[in-house]
Amino acid sequence: QQPVQSPQAVILREGEDAVINCSSSKALYSVHWYRQKHGEAPVFLMILLKGGEQKGHDKISASFNEKKQQSSLYLTASQLSYSGTYFCGTEGVGNTPLVFGKGTRLSVIA
Amino acid sequence: DAGVTQSPTHLIKTRGQHVTLRCSPISGHKSVSWYQQVLGQGPQFIFQYYEKEERGRGNFPDRFSARQFPNYSSELNVNALLLGDSALYLCASSLGGTGSEKLFFGSGTQLSVL
């Protein structure tokens, strides 16, 4: 079942912060985050496994609350290069294939 | 090292025709997954293959089929094309095929059905 992402779109000025949320109605084993720039393939950002972990990647970090079946992606001090569409992908319990949400379009302006 | 390569990059077909899309995974990767991405939407899972066996199938009609070859490359076949099949078809490879692995995506094949 497809995870739900929010917001659908967000516009930031350089240096501002943003949070993108991803929720599922099914029990999750892992959550992936990818970024896709216009006309390009999705690029991996990070994977979070069940256990409620939080990960960081430069100024981009994420958390995973397995009890709530939710994950959030945090972008701090945004840069122009952060612009793109962010997708969360969820893996259910039992080694199921990755299912992606509809994406959140992030635009960072100067 | 070469990334995931897909061919062709663009394709135009008419309704009712058949199409074959090809994917070569990263060297050493044994799993290939196929996704369909309609403009403005997230990638929709079609198939996953690992070691030449189908490991998963998404909610797509039987007109869609795929296979994986001994060298781990893969083909996606779509028969009796419909206008709604127009989309970007992405191939992704991973090492062992579990859902907890990082996926490496190719640049995709843009299919237009007229």
Side-chain angles (χ1 to χ4, degrees):
Chain A
Q1 193 155 355
Q2 188 175 40
V4 177
Q5 288 186 233
S6 64
Q8 291 183 327
V10 59
I11 300 174
L12 299 175
R13 291 196 179 276
E14 275 186 293
E16 291 183 337
D17 302 339
V19 180
I20 300 172
N21 299 303
C22 174
S23 64
S24 174
S25 59
K26 297 176 69 174
L28 299 177
Y29 183 76
S30 71
V31 177
H32 298 217
W33 287 95
Y34 288 78
R35 177 172 61 208
Q36 185 176 31
K37 293 183 179 286
H38 183 70
E40 299 180 8
V43 174
F44 171 82
L45 293 176
M46 63 188 77
I47 294 175
L48 301 102
L49 303 179
K50 71 174 186 176
E53 65 173 357
Q54 185 156 353
K55 275 194 167 183
H57 182 275
D58 194 10
K59 292 177 181 172
I60 300 175
S61 62
S63 63
F64 176 27
N65 185 325
E66 67 186 89
K67 291 182 179 178
K68 292 186 176 180
Q69 295 145 206
Q70 294 175 347
S71 177
S72 294
L73 185 72
Y74 307 94
L75 300 102
T76 57
S78 58
Q79 307 167 16
L80 294 175
S81 62
Y82 286 3
S83 293
T85 301
Y86 289 78
F87 295 101
C88 72
T90 56
E91 176 199 9
V93 175
N95 194 24
T96 56
L98 205 59
V99 179
F100 287 93
K102 292 186 176 181
T104 295
R105 179 177 290 180
L106 179 75
S107 301
V108 181
I109 58 176
Chain B
D1 284 344
V4 178
T5 57
Q6 292 187 243
S7 62
T9 54
H10 295 83
L11 205 51
I12 300 175
K13 293 285 188 179
T14 56
R15 282 179 296 175
Q17 285 189 311
H18 162 90
V19 68
T20 297
L21 311 181
R22 296 179 174 82
C23 172
S24 292
I26 291 172
S27 178
H29 284 196
K30 298 181 178 181
S31 176
V32 169
S33 299
W34 286 95
Y35 287 84
Q36 180 196 65
Q37 187 175 27
V38 174
L39 192 63
Q41 300 292 317
Q44 297 293 306
F45 173 73
I46 310 175
F47 286 108
Q48 183 189 23
Y49 277 79
Y50 174 71
E51 288 279 17
K52 303 179 288 296
E53 297 289 327
E54 182 183 300
R55 179 169 276 188
R57 172 187 285 252
N59 189 25
F60 279 80
D62 292 342
R63 300 184 294 107
F64 288 76
S65 63
R67 55 179 175 168
Q68 187 177 33
F69 299 99
N71 66 354
Y72 303 111
S73 67
S74 177
E75 283 183 354
L76 175 70
N77 294 283
V78 186
N79 292 323
L81 285 167
L82 303 174
L83 295 179
D85 295 331
S86 295
L88 178 67
Y89 289 83
L90 293 166
C91 170
S93 76
S94 60
L95 276 169
T98 69
S100 306
E101 290 182 329
K102 173 180 176 179
L103 293 180
F104 294 81
F105 283 90
S107 297
T109 294
Q110 184 66 55
L111 173 66
S112 299
V113 183
L114 306 178

